[in-house]
């Protein structure tokens, strides 16, 4: 077994290597919501569509529980948003069975039915006016519309209130401002998936940073799905998220996968934390990054 000083040294060296190489350093864990969106991306190669991340779809399938939903059920709003995204991904794959590079399970219809039933149950208990998740007023109504377009209509007691909240939010948001180049900072970029059918995604590429849309895999996936022209940088961002994010190649994707620009300070904090635990800090790693 490694002693704590050796473990500390190994951890700091790993962080230093990632900082130098530009690989992701993030404390964000895998989210079903972002993974579901990434699973829906396909790319046309020589006229033939291919799933870009079949491992993300497999993650969605593997993490669906016996009740039809996706956990952990930390809050009702998270269960609802995850359930919406998961069901959307299942229906999307069912309706795109011609896309190569992946295979639907034989019990997909049952999975869809179970996911829908769990989501209906959750929605029946939901009071949207009491929810605190950022952006849900945009995201939830949008996905409900996407599901409706896939012949899945979900009525629930709080639907009218959600619609009112959505209108109030939308009235304060001019999405055409996203077309302005140079880019004007906007939190709407983080929820690009909410504007399919309303936004021309070919005109928002200038918001990309290292290929990501405000470092959001779900927004970047929706951007790729909805464009008429492929964006290689966006594909590269999603590949880094899948391969080097919190899921470590399992297919799971974190909410925000890219490294922060303060690696040296992060490593110094690790040093201090380890010192408090009784381990000596690793000397020289921060200086090597400068």
């Amino acid at each position: 077994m490694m002693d704590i000083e050796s473990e500390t040294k190994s951890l700091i060296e790993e962080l230093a290597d990632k900082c130098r190489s530009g690989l992701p350093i993030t404390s964000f864990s895998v989210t079903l919501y972002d993974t579901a969106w990434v699973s829906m991306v396909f790319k046309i190669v020589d006229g033939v569509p291919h799933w870009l991340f079949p491992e993300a779809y497999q993650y969605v399938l593997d993490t669906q529980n016996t009740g039809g939903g996706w956990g952990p059920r930390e809050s009702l709003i998270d269960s609802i948003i995850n359930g919406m995204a998961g069901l959307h991904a299942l229906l999307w794959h069912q309706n795109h069975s011609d896309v190569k590079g992946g295979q639907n399970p034989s019990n997909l219809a049952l999975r869809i039915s179970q996911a829908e039933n769990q989501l209906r149950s959750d929605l029946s208990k939901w009071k949207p006016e009491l929810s605190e998740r950022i952006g849900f007023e945009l995201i939830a109504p949008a996905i409900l519309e996407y599901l409706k377009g896939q012949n899945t209509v979900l009525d629930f007691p709080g639907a009218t209130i959600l619609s009112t909240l959505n209108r109030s939010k939308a009235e304060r948001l001019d999405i055409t401002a996203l077309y302005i180049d140079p880019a004007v900072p906007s939190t709407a970029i983080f929820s690009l998936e909410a504007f399919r059918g309303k936004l021309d995604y070919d005109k928002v590429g200038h918001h990309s940073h290292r290929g990501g849309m405000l470092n959001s895999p779900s927004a970047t996936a929706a951007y790729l799905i909805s464009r008429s022209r492929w964006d290689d940088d966006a594909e590269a961002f999603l590949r880094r998220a899948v391969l080097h994010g919190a899921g470590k190649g399992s297919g799971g994707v974190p909410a925000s996968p890219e490294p922060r620009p303060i690696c040296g300070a992060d490593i110094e904090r690790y040093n201090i934390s380890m010192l408090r635990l009784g381990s000596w800090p690793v000397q020289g790693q921060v200086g090597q990054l400068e």
Side-chain angles (χ1 to χ4, degrees):
M1 180 180 294
M2 267 187 166
D3 59 62
I4 191 169
E5 185 173 347
S6 297
E7 290 182 358
T8 302
K9 185 174 186 297
S10 176
L11 174 61
I12 301 302
E13 288 175 346
E14 179 183 354
L15 286 170
D17 287 342
K18 285 188 174 182
C19 283
R20 283 189 290 264
S21 66
L23 292 178
I25 296 174
T26 176
S27 59
F28 286 93
S29 59
V30 169
T31 73
L32 187 283
Y33 179 80
D34 286 271
T35 303
W37 274 102
V38 171
S39 79
M40 292 188 280
V41 180
F42 61 83
K43 182 178 184 180
I44 297 176
V45 180
D46 296 328
V48 179
H50 293 264
W51 294 114
L52 206 57
F53 302 105
E55 63 269 46
Y57 182 46
Q58 190 60 51
Y59 185 93
V60 172
L61 295 173
D62 290 344
T63 55
Q64 186 179 17
N65 60 45
T66 55
W70 288 265
R73 298 174 65 82
E74 296 178 349
S75 69
L76 182 59
I77 180 62
D78 285 340
S79 296
I80 288 170
I81 294 297
N82 286 337
M84 286 181 176
L87 177 57
H88 185 23
L90 296 182
L91 288 167
W92 182 266
H93 280 261
Q94 183 185 58
N95 294 329
H96 290 81
S97 58
D98 60 320
V99 179
K100 308 299 182 183
Q103 186 173 1
N104 284 321
S106 59
N107 65 343
L108 180 59
L110 175 61
R111 286 173 173 270
I112 289 172
S113 176
Q114 291 174 329
E116 182 179 338
N117 289 339
Q118 181 62 65
L119 185 53
R120 287 186 187 280
S121 175
D122 287 341
L123 287 170
S124 70
K125 308 167 191 170
W126 188 30
K127 298 183 184 299
E129 69 274 21
L130 302 180
S131 296
E132 296 182 350
R133 181 180 173 123
I134 295 174
F136 82 89
E137 312 98 315
L138 296 174
I139 292 170
I143 301 182
L144 287 170
E145 280 298 309
Y146 304 154
L147 293 175
K148 185 177 180 180
Q150 296 174 101
N151 299 315
T152 301
V153 179
L154 298 169
D155 296 318
F156 57 100
T160 300
I161 293 175
L162 178 62
S163 179
T164 300
L165 293 171
N166 175 254
R167 284 196 301 272
S168 176
K169 187 84 169 183
E171 286 171 358
R172 304 193 303 270
L173 188 66
D174 178 14
I175 61 173
T176 62
L178 298 178
Y179 300 150
I180 298 174
D181 190 3
V184 176
S186 172
T187 55
I189 291 295
F190 194 77
S191 302
L192 275 184
E193 65 271 24
F195 308 122
R196 295 183 64 213
K198 302 174 183 176
L199 185 72
D200 185 344
Y201 287 80
D202 286 342
K203 296 181 179 180
V204 298
H206 52 283
H207 288 277
S208 170
H209 175 68
R210 285 173 51 86
M213 288 295 171
L214 209 60
N215 205 23
S216 167
S218 53
T220 307
Y223 163 76
L224 260 185
I225 292 169
S226 307
R227 280 175 61 87
S228 64
R229 300 185 301 275
W230 194 253
D231 187 323
D232 290 331
D233 290 338
E235 177 184 345
F237 169 83
L238 292 178
R239 289 200 179 280
R240 292 195 301 272
V242 172
L243 294 176
H244 303 295
K248 299 185 182 300
S250 67
V253 179
S256 184
E258 292 286 66
R260 299 181 298 275
I262 51 174
C263 282
D266 286 341
I267 290 177
E268 191 60 33
R269 278 197 293 274
Y270 271 96
N271 271 332
I272 292 170
S273 296
M274 292 301 102
L275 182 59
R276 288 172 176 166
L277 291 173
S279 176
W280 293 104
V282 178
Q283 302 294 330
Q285 293 294 343
V286 176
Q288 292 175 17
L289 298 176
E290 298 174 350

